[in-house]
Structures are given as C-alpha cells and as structure tokens.
Amino acid sequence: MLESVGSLAAGPWIYAVVAVSVLLDVFLPVLPSGVLVVAAATAAAAGTGAAAGQVPHDVPDILVLILLATTASVLGDLVAYRLAWRGGERLDRAIARSRRLTSAQERLGEALSRGGGALVVLARFAPAGRSVVSFCAGAAHRRARDFVPWSALAGLSWAAYSTALGYYGTRWLGTAWLATAVSIAALTGAGAAAAYLMRRRPAGS
C-alpha cells in the first residue's frame, strides 16, 4: 500500500494535490497532508537515485515541494485567522465553552505579546494544533504582524522536516516503502511530542 502511494506521488500533479491538502487541513485536520509531502519527497529521492545525477521530469523537485507546502500552510493559516477575526460573538462563545481553546487562546496571546511565537511553531506539528492556533489568534484579534511571521516559520519548519524525512529516508534506507513507513512514523512521533509539550507548557512561559 505504501509503495502504491509512493508511485502515485511520482507525477507533476502531486504539486496541486499537496497544495490543496495543506491549504485545507487547517479546516479538516484529518487530511493526510503530511503523508502526501513525505510520499512526494520519497518519490523525488527514488527518482534522483534512479538516474545517476539527472532528475527525471516526472518526480517532484524538493525545493519546489518545500516552498509550495510552506506557502499553502501560511495561506491556510491566514484564511482561518481572517475568518475567526470576523467570527463575532458566536465564535467567541464557542471558544469560551472549551477550556482547551480558552487556554490556548490565552497562552498564544501571552506568547505573541512578548514577541515570541514558539507556540505557533510547536502547534504546527501537533494534531489539529495549527487549527487551534490560527482560529484563536483571529478570534482574539491578535495583530497580523505578530502572527504571520511565526506562521511562516512554522510552515517552513514543518514542510522542511516532512520533506527531509521522505527524501533522506529513501536515500539512506534505499527502499521506498520502508522509507515511507519510517518517515510517517517519525512525523507522527513529532506530532505526539509537540502535543505533549503544548499540554505541559505553563501558561506563563
């Protein structure tokens, strides 16, 4: 199955699929955007290894993949941020009913007001963390100049990490399906670690 995913990723249309998936997973966290990035990077590594230094035209380019995933991530964050900004009282009440969302909003506000947004970067790796941070930043009317640079850093970090897993995993392990499986496991592990750190992070830190 994983080998089939890698085969499907070896085509130029994967760029559009990755962009749409990354853009929309701020609203639908169940979308496998990270898996798609890993699979595309795996296909790129397999393609470059097969042609003695010449990259075939039907495999994704690593730098383009990172830039595309980063851009889509930031655009998705901005859309969620703006929607939450205009959400009004209904969204405020929904956040107020959730202790998790209220706590996330408070911690995010404190982090951004101090000029630090490590929480934004950390949340990008946690399951649904990106959604919580983007909506909370907008609902709390945090300034875009305080949020967007950290969103860009978060998107770049996530895209580079996911791509590196698939690409170097294939180059080192040599087998596409094994590299994909190990890379997805590493991506999942990073998400679990990020979620744990977010829960453990004191409100005032």
Side-chain angles (χ1 to χ4, degrees), residues 25-44:
D25 77 358
V26 69
F27 304 103
L28 300 169
V30 295
L31 289 177
S33 58
V35 174
L36 288 174
V37 173
V38 166
T42 299

Side-chain angles (χ1 to χ4, degrees), residues 123-141:
R124 185 60 185 87
F125 290 83
R130 173 193 181 198
S131 305
V132 172
V133 164
S134 298
F135 280 109
C136 285
H141 289 189

Side-chain angles (χ1 to χ4, degrees), residues 8 24-25 28 30 34 36-37 39 48 74 78 85 111 115 127 132 138 145 162 168 175 177 183 194 203:
L8 293 173
L24 294 181
D25 77 358
L28 300 169
V30 295
L36 288 174
V37 173
T48 56
V74 175
L78 280 175
W85 184 290
V132 172
R145 66 184 182 184
S162 302
Y168 289 108
T175 305
W177 71 265
S183 299

